[in-house]
Amino acid sequence: MDEIDMKILHELARDSRCTYETLASRIGISVPTAYNRVRKLIKKGVIKRFTIDVDYAKIGYPIRALVGVIIDPRFSANARTAFNELGNVLRVVEVTGRFDFILDIIASSTDELKDLLTDKMSKIRGVIKTETMVQVYSSEIPVI
Protein backbone atom coordinates (compact mmCIF):
# COMPACT_ATOMS: atom_id res chain seq x y z
CA MET A 1 0.00 0.00 0.00
CA ASP A 2 1.37 3.34 -1.00
CA GLU A 3 0.04 6.89 -1.24
CA ILE A 4 -1.64 6.24 -4.61
CA ASP A 5 -3.48 3.20 -3.24
CA MET A 6 -4.67 5.25 -0.28
CA LYS A 7 -5.92 8.00 -2.61
CA ILE A 8 -7.74 5.39 -4.69
CA LEU A 9 -9.44 4.00 -1.57
CA HIS A 10 -10.41 7.51 -0.45
CA GLU A 11 -11.94 8.38 -3.82
CA LEU A 12 -13.81 5.08 -4.12
CA ALA A 13 -15.14 5.46 -0.58
CA ARG A 14 -16.60 8.82 -1.64
CA ASP A 15 -18.01 7.52 -4.94
CA SER A 16 -17.61 3.87 -5.83
CA ARG A 17 -19.46 4.43 -9.12
CA CYS A 18 -16.89 6.83 -10.54
CA THR A 19 -15.33 5.74 -13.80
CA TYR A 20 -11.68 4.83 -14.10
CA GLU A 21 -11.27 8.03 -16.12
CA THR A 22 -12.70 10.12 -13.29
CA LEU A 23 -10.69 8.24 -10.67
CA ALA A 24 -7.46 8.69 -12.64
CA SER A 25 -8.16 12.39 -13.17
CA ARG A 26 -8.85 13.04 -9.48
CA ILE A 27 -5.64 11.32 -8.41
CA GLY A 28 -3.40 12.42 -11.26
CA ILE A 29 -2.56 9.00 -12.71
CA SER A 30 -3.27 7.31 -16.03
CA VAL A 31 -6.47 5.36 -16.65
CA PRO A 32 -4.63 2.02 -17.09
CA THR A 33 -2.78 2.63 -13.82
CA ALA A 34 -6.07 3.34 -12.02
CA TYR A 35 -7.62 0.19 -13.48
CA ASN A 36 -4.64 -2.02 -12.56
CA ARG A 37 -4.38 -0.59 -9.05
CA VAL A 38 -8.08 -1.14 -8.32
CA ARG A 39 -7.89 -4.71 -9.65
CA LYS A 40 -4.87 -5.42 -7.41
CA LEU A 41 -6.67 -3.97 -4.36
CA ILE A 42 -9.62 -6.25 -5.11
CA LYS A 43 -7.39 -9.29 -5.62
CA LYS A 44 -5.57 -8.62 -2.31
CA GLY A 45 -8.91 -8.35 -0.51
CA VAL A 46 -8.40 -4.72 0.45
CA ILE A 47 -11.53 -3.79 -1.50
CA LYS A 48 -14.10 -6.37 -0.47
CA ARG A 49 -17.12 -5.03 -2.33
CA PHE A 50 -18.67 -1.99 -3.92
CA THR A 51 -21.87 -0.79 -2.32
CA ILE A 52 -24.49 1.95 -2.37
CA ASP A 53 -25.54 4.68 0.03
CA VAL A 54 -29.34 4.69 0.21
CA ASP A 55 -31.42 7.75 1.09
CA TYR A 56 -33.92 5.85 3.23
CA ALA A 57 -36.11 8.95 3.74
CA LYS A 58 -36.89 8.93 0.03
CA ILE A 59 -38.25 5.39 0.23
CA GLY A 60 -40.38 5.94 3.32
CA TYR A 61 -37.96 5.45 6.23
CA PRO A 62 -37.15 8.91 7.60
CA ILE A 63 -36.22 7.63 11.07
CA ARG A 64 -32.70 6.32 11.64
CA ALA A 65 -31.63 5.06 15.04
CA LEU A 66 -28.53 3.64 16.63
CA VAL A 67 -29.46 1.31 19.45
CA GLY A 68 -26.91 0.28 22.05
CA VAL A 69 -27.77 -3.11 23.54
CA ILE A 70 -26.52 -4.68 26.75
CA ILE A 71 -27.00 -8.44 26.70
CA ASP A 72 -26.47 -11.36 29.01
CA PRO A 73 -23.26 -12.94 27.61
CA ARG A 74 -24.80 -16.42 27.68
CA PHE A 75 -27.21 -15.35 24.93
CA SER A 76 -24.87 -13.27 22.80
CA ALA A 77 -24.71 -15.52 19.71
CA ASN A 78 -28.45 -16.18 19.66
CA ALA A 79 -29.21 -12.49 20.16
CA ARG A 80 -27.01 -11.51 17.21
CA THR A 81 -28.99 -13.88 14.99
CA ALA A 82 -32.29 -12.52 16.33
CA PHE A 83 -31.19 -8.90 15.74
CA ASN A 84 -30.30 -9.72 12.14
CA GLU A 85 -33.77 -11.21 11.62
CA LEU A 86 -35.55 -8.01 12.67
CA GLY A 87 -36.80 -6.40 9.46
CA ASN A 88 -35.61 -2.87 10.07
CA VAL A 89 -32.08 -3.61 11.22
CA LEU A 90 -29.49 -2.58 8.64
CA ARG A 91 -26.42 -3.64 10.58
CA VAL A 92 -25.45 -5.36 13.81
CA VAL A 93 -22.03 -4.55 15.23
CA GLU A 94 -20.56 -6.32 18.24
CA VAL A 95 -18.56 -3.83 20.32
CA THR A 96 -16.70 -3.52 23.60
CA GLY A 97 -17.34 -0.95 26.28
CA ARG A 98 -20.67 0.23 27.58
CA PHE A 99 -22.70 -1.82 25.08
CA ASP A 100 -22.35 -5.31 23.68
CA PHE A 101 -24.02 -4.53 20.34
CA ILE A 102 -24.88 -1.46 18.31
CA LEU A 103 -27.83 -1.83 15.95
CA ASP A 104 -28.35 0.50 12.99
CA ILE A 105 -32.12 0.68 12.46
CA ILE A 106 -34.49 2.44 10.05
CA ALA A 107 -38.20 3.06 10.61
CA SER A 108 -41.08 4.64 8.75
CA SER A 109 -42.31 6.38 11.92
CA THR A 110 -41.59 6.82 15.58
CA ASP A 111 -44.46 4.42 16.29
CA GLU A 112 -42.79 1.74 14.17
CA LEU A 113 -39.49 2.32 15.98
CA LYS A 114 -41.25 2.14 19.35
CA ASP A 115 -42.91 -1.15 18.34
CA LEU A 116 -39.58 -2.59 17.29
CA LEU A 117 -37.87 -1.55 20.52
CA THR A 118 -40.61 -2.35 23.00
CA ASP A 119 -42.33 -5.36 21.47
CA LYS A 120 -39.84 -7.15 19.24
CA MET A 121 -36.62 -6.41 21.13
CA SER A 122 -38.16 -7.35 24.47
CA LYS A 123 -38.82 -10.86 23.13
CA ILE A 124 -35.15 -11.48 22.33
CA ARG A 125 -33.70 -13.65 25.06
CA GLY A 126 -30.85 -12.08 27.00
CA VAL A 127 -31.54 -8.41 26.24
CA ILE A 128 -30.95 -6.56 29.49
CA LYS A 129 -31.06 -2.93 28.39
CA THR A 130 -31.19 -0.77 25.29
CA GLU A 131 -30.38 2.87 24.69
CA THR A 132 -31.59 4.56 21.52
CA MET A 133 -30.22 7.57 19.68
CA VAL A 134 -32.59 8.80 16.96
CA GLN A 135 -32.07 10.97 13.92
CA VAL A 136 -34.98 12.08 11.76
CA TYR A 137 -34.13 12.47 8.09
CA SER A 138 -36.14 14.49 5.66
CA SER A 139 -35.35 15.18 2.03
CA GLU A 140 -36.92 18.60 2.52
CA ILE A 141 -34.81 19.70 5.51
CA PRO A 142 -31.25 20.66 4.59
CA VAL A 143 -28.46 19.13 6.65
CA ILE A 144 -26.29 21.85 8.19
Side-chain angles (χ1 to χ4, degrees):
M1 292 286 301
D2 62 11
E3 185 178 338
I4 292 173
D5 288 336
M6 294 303 290
K7 287 180 180 179
I8 288 170
L9 294 176
H10 175 76
E11 290 300 327
L12 290 177
R14 286 184 345 139
D15 179 10
S16 64
R17 287 191 63 197
C18 74
T19 64
Y20 287 110
E21 291 81 9
T22 301
L23 181 62
S25 171
R26 288 179 182 165
I27 297 172
I29 58 176
S30 71
V31 175
T33 299
Y35 175 82
N36 290 329
R37 292 279 190 130
V38 170
R39 291 289 147 223
K40 285 180 185 176
L41 290 168
I42 292 169
K43 187 176 180 180
K44 289 179 181 178
V46 174
I47 296 174
K48 297 191 304 187
R49 64 188 173 111
F50 293 87
T51 187
I52 61 172
D53 187 11
V54 177
D55 184 341
Y56 290 102
K58 290 186 178 178
I59 59 170
Y61 294 93
I63 308 293
R64 186 91 180 245
L66 293 177
V67 180
V69 182
I70 298 172
I71 191 134
D72 182 324
R74 296 174 294 167
F75 303 105
S76 185
N78 292 337
R80 181 184 193 86
T81 301
F83 296 148
N84 279 312
E85 291 173 355
L86 295 173
N88 298 46
V89 176
L90 299 176
R91 183 174 47 198
V92 176
V93 181
E94 194 164 358
V95 296
T96 60
R98 180 175 172 182
F99 300 109
D100 300 305
F101 292 96
I102 301 288
L103 310 181
D104 186 2
I105 296 175
I106 56 171
S108 60
S109 66
T110 52
D111 286 338
E112 182 181 38
L113 179 61
K114 179 181 172 270
D115 177 58
L116 179 83
L117 295 172
T118 58
D119 294 339
K120 295 177 183 174
M121 290 280 288
S122 66
K123 292 178 183 164
I124 296 174
R125 194 167 183 199
V127 172
I128 296 170
K129 182 180 178 182
T130 64
E131 185 174 320
T132 306
M133 296 144 278
V134 178
Q135 182 172 7
V136 178
Y137 289 98
S138 171
S139 301
E140 299 170 11
I141 300 172
V143 177
I144 300 174

